[in-house]
Amino acid sequence: MSDEFSLLCALAGTNLSSARRQRIADWNYSALEWNIFFRLADQHGVLPLAAHNLVEIDSAKPTRSLPREIDNSLRSAYQANLQRSLWFASEMTRIVQFFQSRQLHAIPFKGPLLAQSVYGDIALRQFSDLDFLISSAEFDSAKRALDEIGYRPSTPLTPEVERFWLRRGNERAFDGSAGQNLVELQWAVLPYFYAIDLRVEDLLARAKSTYVSESETACLSSEDSLLVLCLHAAKHLWTRLIWLSDIAETLRIETIDYSLLFDRARTLGTTRILGVSFWLAQNVLEIELPQAAENLIHSDPSTLVIGSSFAERLARGAAYDFESADYFRWVLKLRERRRDRWRYLWRLLWTPGAGDLDAVRLPELFFPLYRVVRTGRLLRKLAR
């Protein structure tokens, strides 16, 4: 690890031990490349969290050692994120209340809801949009509701393509007057080709209630929230610290029924994904795990090998081409059951994506031919 990345990992938590705080306080700040630190912090989505902790720890020292301009930059980064977060929280409440007035059952997740519930401070988590889970049956009604309050689809689709996308895609982004891609409606946690069939309808049925800005809203159950966070991080191969931090803070603050969580993961064939997520949170962010999470890690010998590879790639900032053979091989390794690996390969080969739909415009009668388009484009990419 670079010195800058090591410090960033040490700062990426909300309940730092006294030993960890002392290690940060004793850091040789003069040896840091601060431009690299700020770039990494922003890239990994933990700049406000790192800024808050670093300023607080340095302020408690008898002799402060942070350069004045760095201290000012850290405080500015935290304040800027606070302002954005407050706007998003207000907008989330407005959208939730409007959905409720239309009898639409939608659940916000991540974003300001996660920031408040597990970080304890809406300004500590960095995010750039609002995510809502909704059943595919209610998507059209939710889309019309968003239109009434000023949100339009980021990418226009014909009705025929949109119907097709509801069957094989997983989300649609919406623009508002304040910017692009501010809202996402998701009717599936992952695209269909990942072969992880976690039904949003089941998540909605198990939802509980919480409060954000003194307004009641539905939210995922603790077990479902942790499962969804691990699946989302795995989809991106754990390439950002914010996703590990989300998992670590959820493990720390939420009351989890681990037997229930593991039963759901076994049904989906995703226990290895949970194990790797827990291992990375423990070893990259240096957190203590509950015994149940430790037991899960040790139950699968592949967890240590896979986790070590991802930790090493994370430390050196390795990038992935998410349509490359290397990426597909890693996703296969994350599935513990052979049948799930075959299902993934089959769906990967035959399930058209947004790029395939854009590449060739076909009338609805010939939509089955998009499978041929998908296969041809995928094989060309893999041959590069």
Side-chain angles (χ1 to χ4, degrees), residues 122-254:
I122 201 169
L124 290 181
R125 189 178 187 275
Q126 191 171 320
F127 48 88
S128 58
D129 61 6
L130 298 171
D131 298 293
F132 293 89
L133 291 171
I134 193 162
S135 71
S136 57
E138 290 195 313
F139 171 80
D140 286 337
S141 298
K143 177 185 170 184
R144 289 193 295 270
L146 286 176
D147 184 78
E148 290 185 56
I149 56 175
Y151 285 96
R152 309 286 186 272
S154 301
T155 304
L157 298 178
T158 65
E160 297 80 14
V161 170
E162 190 160 78
R163 286 195 296 268
F164 180 86
W165 192 240
L166 281 170
R167 296 194 300 272
R168 291 295 179 260
N170 71 307
E171 63 188 15
R172 286 274 269 144
F174 293 79
D175 301 339
S177 59
Q180 297 180 326
N181 301 315
L182 294 177
V183 174
E184 281 191 357
L185 294 182
Q186 300 186 16
W187 56 92
V189 173
L190 294 172
Y192 176 77
F193 71 84
Y194 282 95
I196 298 176
D197 298 326
L198 178 59
R199 286 165 33 91
V200 164
E201 290 78 8
D202 293 335
L203 299 177
L204 295 172
R206 296 193 291 258
K208 59 182 184 179
S209 294
T210 190
Y211 285 85
V212 176
S213 302
E214 301 182 355
S215 178
E216 186 175 13
T217 183
C219 66
L220 293 172
S221 70
S222 300
E223 295 76 23
D224 285 337
S225 180
L226 183 55
L227 179 59
V228 167
L229 289 173
C230 290
L231 292 178
H232 180 262
K235 172 188 171 185
H236 297 283
L237 300 185
W238 298 277
T239 49
R240 299 179 76 210
L241 287 177
I242 182 64
W243 298 324
L244 292 183
S245 180
D246 290 343
I247 293 166
E249 295 301 324
T250 300
L251 285 167
R252 183 182 67 83
I253 205 72
E254 294 283 7

Side-chain angles (χ1 to χ4, degrees), residues 38-97:
F38 278 96
R39 176 178 57 80
L40 286 174
D42 188 57
Q43 173 188 320
H44 284 281
V46 294
L47 178 54
L49 179 59
H52 174 270
N53 285 335
L54 191 51
V55 168
E56 182 184 61
I57 291 170
D58 190 65
S59 298
K61 292 162 63 175
T63 304
R64 303 188 62 181
S65 53
L66 275 177
R68 182 180 297 275
E69 65 274 15
I70 300 302
D71 182 90
N72 290 339
S73 295
L74 292 168
R75 292 176 186 274
S76 296
Y78 176 84
Q79 287 298 323
N81 192 65
L82 172 60
Q83 293 176 10
R84 283 180 56 82
S85 298
L86 289 173
W87 181 86
F88 273 116
S90 174
E91 196 66 2
M92 186 193 77
T93 300
R94 184 171 78 102
I95 293 171
V96 165
Q97 291 176 345

Side-chain angles (χ1 to χ4, degrees), residues 323-338:
E323 291 193 344
S324 66
D326 184 45
Y327 175 76
F328 300 142
R329 280 195 295 267
W330 275 117
V331 174
L332 282 173
K333 290 179 181 179
L334 291 173
R335 306 306 298 276
E336 62 266 19
R337 298 188 307 215
R338 180 177 298 178

Side-chain angles (χ1 to χ4, degrees), residues 215-367:
S215 178
E216 186 175 13
T217 183
C219 66
L220 293 172
S221 70
S222 300
E223 295 76 23
D224 285 337
S225 180
L226 183 55
L227 179 59
V228 167
L229 289 173
C230 290
L231 292 178
H232 180 262
K235 172 188 171 185
H236 297 283
L237 300 185
W238 298 277
T239 49
R240 299 179 76 210
L241 287 177
I242 182 64
W243 298 324
L244 292 183
S245 180
D246 290 343
I247 293 166
E249 295 301 324
T250 300
L251 285 167
R252 183 182 67 83
I253 205 72
E254 294 283 7
T255 301
I256 308 291
D257 184 335
Y258 286 97
S259 62
L260 188 59
L261 172 65
F262 296 160
D263 281 345
R264 290 174 187 168
R266 277 190 291 269
T267 299
L268 295 168
T270 59
T271 53
R272 181 171 293 169
I273 287 175
L274 259 62
V276 173
S277 297
F278 296 163
W279 188 94
L280 286 167
Q282 180 186 50
N283 288 275
V284 175
L285 299 185
E286 303 178 34
I287 68 163
E288 291 187 17
L289 291 178
Q291 189 59 51
E294 287 270 15
N295 294 342
L296 182 71
I297 289 173
H298 297 306
S299 69
D300 182 358
S302 296
T303 298
L304 172 61
V305 178
I306 295 173
S308 298
S309 295
F310 284 127
E312 185 271 331
R313 294 177 71 107
L314 178 66
R316 61 184 171 88
Y320 294 89
D321 177 355
F322 291 99
E323 291 193 344
S324 66
D326 184 45
Y327 175 76
F328 300 142
R329 280 195 295 267
W330 275 117
V331 174
L332 282 173
K333 290 179 181 179
L334 291 173
R335 306 306 298 276
E336 62 266 19
R337 298 188 307 215
R338 180 177 298 178
R339 69 175 184 269
D340 292 326
R341 293 194 287 270
W342 281 112
R343 287 171 65 237
Y344 169 70
L345 286 173
W346 178 257
R347 292 189 186 183
L348 177 67
L349 185 64
W350 290 110
T351 306
D356 306 309
L357 299 177
D358 289 337
V360 180
R361 299 300 173 90
L362 296 173
E364 188 171 17
L365 181 64
F366 295 103
F367 276 8

